[in-house]
Amino acid sequence: MTRLWIRHETRSTERRAPVSPADARALVAAGVGITVEDSPQRVFATSDYRAAGCAVAEAGSWVDAPDDVVVVGLKELPDGGPLRHRHIYFGHAYKGQAGAGELLARFAEGGGVLMDLEYLTDDAGRRLAAFGYWAGYVGAALAVLHLRGALTTPLAPTSREALDAALAEPGAPMTALVVGALGRCGRGARDALVRAGVTPTEWDVAETADLDRPALLRHDVLVNAVLSTAPIPPFVTSADLDNPDRLLRVLSDVTCDVTSECNVLPVNDALTSWEAPTRELRGGARPVDVIAIDNLPSLLPVEAGLSFSADLAPHLVDLDSAPWRRATALFRSAVKENAHA
C-alpha cells in the first residue's frame, strides 16, 4: 500500500498544501494511507484531513517516519543531515541553483530519492501538476498594483475575488509584455492583465528566438513566464536598463531562476519577499523595479491549492507509474553528476 506523509511547510509564508482534504479523502478511499502533519498556517484545516480519514502527526515528525513512507510537500526542506525517504516536492536542484549540490548530497548520503514535481511529466514532456497559472496571475497582478502605487505591504494571502476587485480599480494606462505567453504561467499573467484593463503584448518561442529588444523596452511592465532548462540569451541586460529610450519600469520575474545559469533576467540576482516584494534596479528620474517572489501562488492559497491538488492527486495512487519513474531517473542522473562535479 502506498503511504504518504504530507509535511508541514517550514517557510512562514507558505499557505498551500499539495493535496486538499477532499482529494485526500478520495485517495484514502482508493487504499492510500495518508498521514498529515499539523500546520496552523496551512489554508486547509487539519481537522478536515482527519475527517477525510487521514492520520495526524506533529509538524516536522516526518524525519522519524518509517522508511517506506513517501514524504510529500511543496517548498524547501529544512536544513539537516542525510535524507532517507522518498520525497515529492519542488527541489529546485537540477539547474545549478544555490544549494542544489548540498541538497543532492544529502539524498545521496541517506539513500533517499527526490521525485521533483517540476519534472513530473507525461510522455510528451508536459508537466502533470503545476501552479503556473496562479503564479502568472499573481505576478502580473502585483506588477500592475505596484505601478499604480496600490501595492500594500507586507503582502498577505487573499482571495481571487479580492485581488480582482483591486485590479478593477481605475488607474493610469500602461503597457505590458508577457514573455512565455502560451504556457500556463503566461495564460495566468494575460488573464490578470486583462482583468486590470490592460491588453498585453504576447510573446512566446517565435518572438524570443529573434528578440526585438527596442520593442521590449517600450513596455511599462515585463512579465517573465518563460521556463528555460538551458541557458539562453538574456531578455534584459544592464545596458538595457541604462538605455535612454527605455520605458520599462517593472520586471515581474515569475520564473525566478535568479541563482541559476538559466536566468533570463540577469539584471536581478536575488529573490524578493512578501515583506519587501519589490527591489529597485535603477533609481532616479527613470526608476525600474523587480518583483521576484518564488511562492506567488501562496498569495491565493485556496484557488492555487485546489487546482494543484486536482492535478496531482490522481498520480499519487501509483508511484511506480511512468511519470514517477522518469522523475526518479532524472534524480539519479543529477546525483551522479553532482558526485563528479
Side-chain angles (χ1 to χ4, degrees):
M1 181 180 72
T2 300
R3 299 173 65 190
L4 305 178
W5 192 289
I6 300 175
R7 60 177 170 86
H8 159 75
E9 299 289 335
T10 56
R11 186 186 294 206
S12 62
T13 59
E14 188 51 69
R15 305 289 191 265
R16 296 169 293 174
V19 180
S20 71
D23 289 329
R25 182 184 297 277
L27 287 169
V28 170
V32 177
I34 302 179
T35 297
V36 178
E37 292 187 356
D38 190 30
S39 179
Q41 69 193 42
R42 187 186 293 129
V43 71
F44 303 120
T46 301
S47 59
D48 291 341
Y49 288 101
R50 184 181 285 110
C54 302
V56 175
E58 293 183 3
S61 57
W62 61 266
V63 296
D64 298 317
D67 288 348
D68 65 334
V69 159
V70 180
V71 181
V72 186
L74 291 175
K75 300 302 288 186
E76 64 274 0
L77 295 171
D79 293 336
L83 296 166
R84 59 185 173 85
H85 295 97
R86 284 193 289 174
H87 283 260
I88 295 173
Y89 76 109
F90 292 98
H92 302 299
Y94 300 160
K95 294 192 288 185
Q97 297 96 326
E102 292 83 354
L103 177 63
L104 292 172
R106 289 176 66 191
F107 275 106
E109 184 178 357
V113 172
L114 167 61
M115 296 188 287
D116 198 307
L117 287 166
E118 185 175 345
Y119 300 92
L120 181 68
T121 61
D122 63 16
D123 292 343
R126 180 176 174 80
R127 287 176 61 179
L128 294 171
F131 285 103
Y133 178 87
W134 293 109
Y137 199 96
V138 176
L142 295 184
V144 169
L145 295 176
H146 176 56
L147 203 53
R148 289 177 176 173
L151 189 61
T152 302
T153 56
L155 303 178
T158 186
S159 66
R160 181 174 183 177
E161 291 76 11
L163 183 58
D164 285 353
L167 291 175
E169 291 290 327
M174 67 181 72
T175 57
L177 167 64
V178 178
V179 185
L182 299 183
R184 289 186 181 97
C185 182
R187 292 198 303 271
R190 288 157 43 199
D191 287 352
L193 290 166
V194 170
R195 177 71 64 172
V198 179
T199 301
T201 302
E202 301 173 13
W203 289 2
D204 208 82
V205 175
E207 293 80 7
T208 56
D210 185 17
L211 193 70
D212 186 343
R213 199 169 297 277
L216 183 154
L217 297 176
R218 286 196 294 268
H219 293 83
D220 296 303
V221 173
L222 168 65
V223 181
N224 173 38
V226 171
L227 176 62
S228 177
T229 57
I232 61 175
F235 296 160
V236 180
T237 67
S238 292
D240 294 326
L241 297 187
D242 296 327
N243 187 325
D245 297 324
R246 168 182 60 81
L247 300 180
L248 186 64
R249 292 184 284 166
V250 179
L251 303 176
S252 183
D253 187 7
V254 179
T255 304
C256 282
D257 276 335
V258 296
T259 63
S260 167
E261 61 183 7
C262 299
N263 185 9
V264 297
L265 298 176
V267 292
N268 178 49
D269 61 0
L271 295 173
T272 60
S273 66
W274 289 21
E275 293 75 20
T278 66
R279 188 168 70 88
E280 186 179 89
L281 297 177
R282 291 292 187 277
R286 301 176 59 250
V288 58
D289 297 328
V290 65
I291 299 171
I293 299 171
D294 68 348
N295 67 333
L296 287 167
S298 197
L299 289 162
L300 289 179
V302 172
E303 293 86 349
L306 291 175
S307 174
F308 186 84
S309 176
D311 289 343
L312 177 64
H315 300 286
L316 294 174
V317 176
D318 180 10
L319 298 182
D320 292 319
S321 63
W324 294 113
R325 291 199 303 271
R326 281 192 291 268
T328 299
L330 184 61
F331 161 77
R332 298 200 187 284
S333 176
V335 167
K336 187 176 296 185
E337 291 181 11
N338 189 60
H340 292 93

